[in-house]
């Protein structure tokens, strides 16, 4: 489906006019469409009282003392002079990017789960398509990561990439950067290597120290933002950016986070969307794991220790679960595994270095002679007991 | 309440006759009392068919092909010759101990939560009383602990002891021993310093390397067992001993446990009794934390990182919760804490090293001039913005 030009232009313009998650602006778009919403914002089309009332109802604030639409118009007015969606789209094309809107085939349906807070459009840079939700896993965490966090992040990100997941993160220092780097290295060339969702424009390499990394992602992966080229990465936009990471992912994993950390914000967005959240445990002495332990403690996140755990957490959409079962199979079996209680009692009573008799075993194990005899035969079959000239002894399997 | 001598003697004898959690034996005691149960086991009193039927009903196996009472009688028979409760009680007195039975005031009501698996009696060594459930916390874990597990155990055990909890554990190497030792050092002389529940008799220092430790516990704390003096610590008794630790504690914490570990058994007993279970997180690279992560992952345990977390988990019985709240108060506040979204947008737009105007802020922040002005006044009051001759700038709090 090819969107018509006026819709694309209107969404591009609105993404500069509205801050992310501007509920009034987004409500207006939902009610009258992007083209008329822009005309109303520009005062080319007058918003009648009926529309104002409907919008208040739409936003669930019918009885508020203020008129949200008038407030919105006043809020948007100072930015009207700067609007030039043609220029922004030309910049985007120069960067090898495209505008992804609800009218395009590439629009990730997963974003619709954000409902009233879905972005008006995505500014996307890179040649690959945005993958479906079921193939995307978010790996996020603090900027000031530890060596432990770095190594776990690299393992998770490589493991997820090898399992066909595309790793999405925020392009920041620390955990985010590690996640992207490991994904770049492990990428198999199918789909984007990794996806960075930025708080500022996709032409702004922020933070500056990650410029090389972000350029690599633009080359083999995807850079995504809901603010137009040139947009500054403000704190508000960072917080809102996190909701996009959560919404685009089948599962969100926090590797390291302090007690207060932006990564927890991403986790809460994911939980709010009903998406599974994983947290990596760490030392209780590490302040960088305190936020993860907080998530585990309050039940917002499930404990994950490797990529298989994350895939399992992602659920049926994410392919074959590999967690507990695979590990249980890998764990060494022990002599007593699968024994009944009486047989276990007999086994307990069998000496390793000497021998014993059925009568003694009966007394030691607290079982009848009959139970001891039948238990011994089962243990003998299992290779755990052996009969000698002097009596019974234990055998190591 | 002073139990009569025959009941005490009968329970002492039955604890040698029955293995721990012998459901038939315990059911018989529940139905006819300990004195007659012993007479029936000794065949001094014949068990009529009615009793057999009632017992089957009591055990919920009315339709089974076997007669559990006959099976029990056969099972107990080999041990009858060794019964000498007077001798066992004399040994107990020599050790400075006493028999705690449901007929004594000291019987911990918490054990009744085990229902059909409650022990027939406790062999208790030490001068202090068994504390009430609400003041007991179990700290358990693997025998092959790491330096990390050791240090966390010591912190938890000291912290719990300082908060008025008595730490209970299994007297084993590793985490158990660390928990007991830290409690011994931190003890305030009120009540037992620490409590070890043993799988063998309270006169058997097992494992041998912990003899000094167990002697110290016998001196200032409590050694408890449900098997009589001289009893061997068999694997079955270890597993059953764990249910006593869980039942006697308001909360059970697993500090370190491998993927398969006896400590998980204690945790499952606690969970089965509806008692809260905590697990200490650790490195995902440590096999010694894999069992803890397993408990966290399957929802059997809550993540605990310090003694305050454990106390909070113990719930209302356990005094004042000190977890999240205290920590949130201790965490540093940040400039943006408590700001409304518009004020946060204004704050984001304020430069630190230069100044800006209300009009520019209005465009940068995407807010109306009125919102910017009122936001600036609030930020100024909060000490976050300051007005200069050239315009507005940000101020660090």
């Amino acid at each position: 489906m090819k969107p018509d030009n006026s819709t694309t232009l209107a969404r591009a313009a609105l993404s500069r006019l509205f801050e992310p998650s501007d509920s009034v602006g987004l409500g207006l778009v939902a009610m009258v469409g992007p083209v008329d919403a822009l005309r109303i914002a520009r005062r080319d089309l007058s918003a009648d009282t009926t529309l104002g009332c409907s919008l208040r109802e739409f936003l669930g604030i019918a009885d508020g003392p203020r008129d949200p639409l008038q407030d919105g118009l006043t809020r948007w007015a100072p930015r009207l002079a700067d609007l030039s969606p043609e220029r922004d789209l030309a910049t985007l094309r120069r960067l090898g990017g495209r505008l992804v809107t609800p009218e395009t085939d590439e629009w990730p349906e997963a974003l619709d789960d954000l409902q009233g807070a879905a972005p008006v459009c995505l500014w996307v840079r890179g040649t690959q398509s945005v993958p479906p939700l079921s193939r995307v896993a978010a790996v996020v965490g603090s900027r000031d990561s530890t060596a432990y966090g770095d190594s776990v992040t690299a393992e998770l990100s490589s493991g997820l990439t090898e399992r066909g997941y595309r790793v999405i993160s925020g392009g920041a220092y620390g955990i985010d950067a590690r996640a992207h780097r490991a994904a770049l290295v492990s990428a198999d060339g199918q789909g984007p290597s990794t996806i960075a969702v930025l708080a500022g424009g996709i032409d702004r390499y922020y933070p500056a120290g990650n410029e090389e990394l972000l350029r690599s992602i633009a080359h083999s992966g995807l850079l995504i933002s809901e603010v137009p080229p040139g947009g500054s990465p403000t704190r508000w936009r960072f917080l809102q950016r996190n909701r996009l990471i959560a919404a685009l992912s089948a599962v969100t994993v926090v590797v390291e986070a302090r007690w207060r950390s932006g990564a927890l914000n991403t986790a809460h967005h994911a939980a709010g969307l009903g998406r599974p959240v994983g947290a990596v445990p760490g030392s209780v002495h590490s302040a960088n794991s305190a936020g993860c332990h907080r998530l585990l403690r309050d039940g917002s996140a499930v404990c994950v220790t490797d990529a298989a755990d994350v895939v399992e957490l992602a659920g049926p959409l994410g392919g074959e679960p590999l967690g507990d079962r695979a590990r249980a199979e890998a764990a060494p079996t022990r002599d007593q595994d699968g024994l009944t209680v009486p047989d276990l009692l007999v086994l307990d009573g069998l000496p390793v270095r000497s021998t014993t008799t059925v009568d003694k075993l009966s007394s030691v194990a607290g079982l009848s002679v009959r139970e001891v005899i039948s238990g011994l035969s089962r243990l003998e079959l299992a290779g755990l007991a052996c009969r000698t000239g002097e009596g019974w002894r234990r055998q190591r399997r």
Side-chain angles (χ1 to χ4, degrees), chain A:
Chain A
M1 182 176 50
K2 182 85 182 160
D4 78 83
N5 196 36
S6 61
T7 306
T8 307
L9 280 172
R11 288 195 177 271
L14 291 170
S15 78
R16 186 172 284 282
L17 214 52
F18 302 158
E19 278 300 310
S21 296
D22 181 324
S23 56
V24 177
L26 295 170
L28 191 62
V29 172
M31 291 183 68
V32 303
V35 175
D36 279 353
L38 181 62
R39 289 175 69 207
I40 290 170
R42 279 188 157 138
R43 316 252 180 179
D44 293 341
L45 188 70
S46 86
D48 57 19
T49 323
T50 322
L51 179 65
C53 289
S54 310
L55 186 61
R56 288 168 71 134
E57 259 176 52
F58 183 86
L59 297 172
I61 47 170
D63 298 325
R66 313 272 304 241
D67 180 352
L69 182 53
Q70 286 310 317
D71 285 355
L73 291 172
T74 318
R75 188 164 65 234
W76 306 324
R79 286 182 174 170
L80 284 173
D82 288 338
L83 286 190
S84 176
E86 295 87 353
R87 181 200 59 201
D88 289 338
L89 289 168
T91 305
L92 180 67
R93 273 191 301 274
R94 248 193 337 271
L95 294 165
R98 62 201 179 275
L99 199 72
V100 172
T101 70
E103 293 80 20
T104 60
D105 292 333
E106 199 185 346
W107 180 254
E109 280 180 24
L111 290 178
D112 298 336
D113 292 348
L114 289 168
Q115 299 180 321
V120 281
C121 61
L122 294 181
W123 300 80
V124 176
R125 191 170 164 191
T127 54
Q128 306 281 349
S129 300
V130 180
L133 175 76
S134 62
R135 292 280 100 193
V136 181
V139 176
V140 298
S142 304
R143 283 184 293 271
D144 61 333
S145 56
T146 67
Y148 170 70
D150 287 348
S151 83
V152 177
T153 303
E155 288 158 18
L156 284 180
S157 185
S158 303
L160 287 167
T161 304
E162 283 154 12
R163 283 167 172 80
Y165 278 81
R166 304 300 92 166
V167 170
I168 193 170
S169 194
Y173 290 138
I175 301 296
D176 287 18
R178 288 279 165 171
H180 289 307
R181 276 187 228 281
L184 281 170
V185 169
S186 315
D188 55 8
Q190 305 205 333
S193 54
T194 181
I195 306 166
V197 184
L198 305 180
I202 47 161
D203 56 337
R204 295 196 55 158
Y205 299 111
Y206 182 90
N210 279 353
E211 176 167 347
E212 271 307 300
L213 173 64
L214 295 171
R215 282 188 191 278
S216 301
I217 299 174
H219 179 70
S220 69
L222 292 172
L223 296 181
I224 296 181
S225 179
E226 63 179 312
V227 306
S232 309
T234 62
R235 188 172 299 119
W236 173 254
R237 290 171 181 170
F238 271 114
L239 291 172
Q240 291 308 312
R241 180 276 310 268
N242 294 338
R243 89 189 191 290
L244 297 186
I245 293 179
L248 289 167
S249 310
V251 58
T252 294
V253 179
V254 184
V255 183
E256 276 193 328
R258 290 179 168 262
W259 187 252
R260 287 179 176 173
S261 160
L264 301 183
N265 174 259
T266 311
H268 290 138
H269 275 300
L273 290 166
R275 305 274 162 81
V277 178
V280 173
S283 167
V284 301
H285 298 139
S286 168
N288 290 66
S289 288
C292 290
H293 297 153
R294 183 183 190 176
L295 288 174
L296 291 174
R297 198 163 153 63
D298 69 16
S300 314
V302 171
C303 179
V304 291
T305 61
D306 57 21
D309 278 354
V310 178
V311 169
E312 187 171 281
L313 183 60
L317 279 175
E320 195 61 12
L322 288 165
D324 285 16
R325 196 163 18 115
R327 224 169 348 213
E329 282 160 10
T333 56
R334 296 193 306 190
D335 283 356
Q336 66 269 33
D337 289 344
L339 292 189
T340 63
V341 168
D343 290 1
L344 185 59
L345 290 169
V346 175
L347 184 69
D348 275 349
L350 277 177
V352 178
R353 291 188 195 78
S354 58
T355 58
T356 188
T357 63
V358 168
D359 280 349
K360 278 195 206 148
L361 270 176
S362 163
S363 175
V364 165
L367 295 167
S368 70
V369 167
R370 199 180 51 195
E371 284 174 306
V372 169
I373 291 171
S374 61
L376 282 171
S377 348
R378 281 186 295 272
L379 292 175
E380 191 178 21
L381 274 174
L384 292 170
C386 77
R387 196 193 313 245
T388 67
E390 290 79 40
W392 289 87
R393 59 193 299 255
R394 184 159 176 187
Q395 196 163 6
R396 296 276 176 202
R397 188 145 58 176

